[in-house]
Amino acid sequence: MLKAERARFVADELERRYPETPIPLDHRDPYTLLVAVLLSAQCTDLRVNQVTPELFALADTPEAMAEVPVEKIQEVIRPCGLSPQKSKAIAGLSKILVEQHGGEVPQSFEELEALPGVGHKTASVVMSQAFGFPAFPVDTHIHRLAQRWGLSSGKNVVQTERDLKRLFPEDSWNRLHLQIIFYGREHCTARGCDGTVCGICRALYPERKKPKKTRRA
Ligand code: SF4
């Protein structure tokens, strides 16, 4: 199967399996989504969703969060890990949003990535899920599955994002990145797979008879 054919099969199969694409991180608006995505670095969405109710009860706007002592933020978010860095970032970006963006989350990659603790993946999630702007945030699941499905060499997430954006139509990116994450969590996990256990690889590689060791990504 050619790469473009594999991409088409994957898109159709994931659309069949995941017609609904709810946003995994609980939030009420672009600001609470931004904070939740920042907290999800090296942490599960499940854990973030357990922590944010208490955090947002404390403060759920940039103005209110900018008034909360960093130590208090750190105390509340500790279960998400990396709490010293994350609490400083949340406090810092909240102050910048108030001082430089009128308390609003900016709708541009550049301005988002200029905020403390906000990298390209976080900015892409916010642009895609809060503002509906086409983006293809590449997390560990997407990086791993793109490699296993032969859609990208998987050398690094930048390369993976570039390859996937070239392979899939722009208007599919916002749904597809969530559908790939759902499949990665449910079926194609980080634990190695021999590439023969489920229908996707069997369809993508019909000639594959022997188990194939897929690199852990
Ligand atoms: S066969 Fe394994 S590697 Fe291929 S899609 Fe299924 S779970 Fe993932």
Side-chain angles (χ1 to χ4, degrees):
M1 214 187 241
L2 298 173
K3 194 183 273 189
E5 290 168 325
R6 287 201 297 275
R8 231 182 343 271
F9 174 83
V10 164
D12 294 346
E13 180 63 13
L14 294 179
E15 189 59 34
R16 186 183 66 76
R17 287 169 180 264
Y18 306 105
E20 303 302 322
T21 53
I23 294 173
L25 288 167
D26 298 339
H27 64 286
R28 335 192 157 95
D29 53 27
Y31 175 69
T32 49
L33 178 65
L34 174 58
V35 171
V37 178
L38 190 151
L39 287 173
S40 70
Q42 296 179 40
C43 178
T44 64
D45 291 350
L46 179 66
R47 173 60 56 83
V48 172
N49 289 341
Q50 289 163 344
V51 166
T52 46
E54 185 184 349
L55 180 65
F56 296 148
L58 195 60
D60 63 354
T61 64
E63 293 81 4
M65 192 69 81
E67 301 303 319
V68 179
V70 175
E71 300 71 33
K72 182 63 189 165
I73 298 173
Q74 184 174 347
E75 185 193 309
V76 173
I77 68 168
R78 190 164 282 122
C80 292
L82 303 173
S83 58
Q85 301 94 308
K86 290 177 180 176
S87 53
K88 278 197 198 79
I90 291 169
L93 71 83
S94 302
K95 287 190 179 74
I96 292 169
L97 291 181
V98 173
E99 291 158 7
Q100 299 175 18
H101 299 283
E104 299 296 325
V105 175
Q107 300 193 18
S108 82
F109 285 96
E110 201 185 357
E111 291 171 301
L112 280 167
E113 292 176 30
L115 297 170
V118 179
H120 182 62
K121 194 207 95 179
T122 299
S124 298
V125 172
V126 173
M127 289 295 282
S128 158
Q129 297 174 7
F131 302 127
F133 188 90
F136 215 129
V138 173
D139 72 349
T140 54
H141 297 294
I142 294 175
H143 187 49
R144 178 177 69 249
L145 273 63
Q147 178 213 127
R148 288 180 176 176
W149 296 337
L151 303 177
S152 176
S153 64
K155 285 201 186 69
N156 56 60
V157 290
V158 175
Q159 180 68 45
T160 300
E161 181 178 341
R162 204 177 295 143
D163 291 342
L164 295 177
K165 282 182 167 177
R166 209 178 292 131
L167 274 171
F168 296 102
E170 189 176 87
D171 60 9
S172 75
W173 299 351
N174 290 355
R175 286 174 65 71
L176 191 55
H177 87 268
L178 287 169
Q179 291 166 327
I180 297 175
I181 290 172
F182 297 158
Y183 194 83
R185 286 191 178 141
E186 207 178 334
H187 302 285
C188 195
T189 65
R191 280 189 307 282
C193 173
D194 68 4
T196 64
V197 293
C198 82
I200 289 196
C201 273
R202 281 205 292 275
L204 297 180
Y205 307 106
E207 72 294 332
R208 181 181 286 169
K209 298 292 174 265
K210 290 202 292 8
K212 172 170 169 30
K213 195 86 195 90
T214 54
R215 264 181 309 136
R216 292 167 68 89

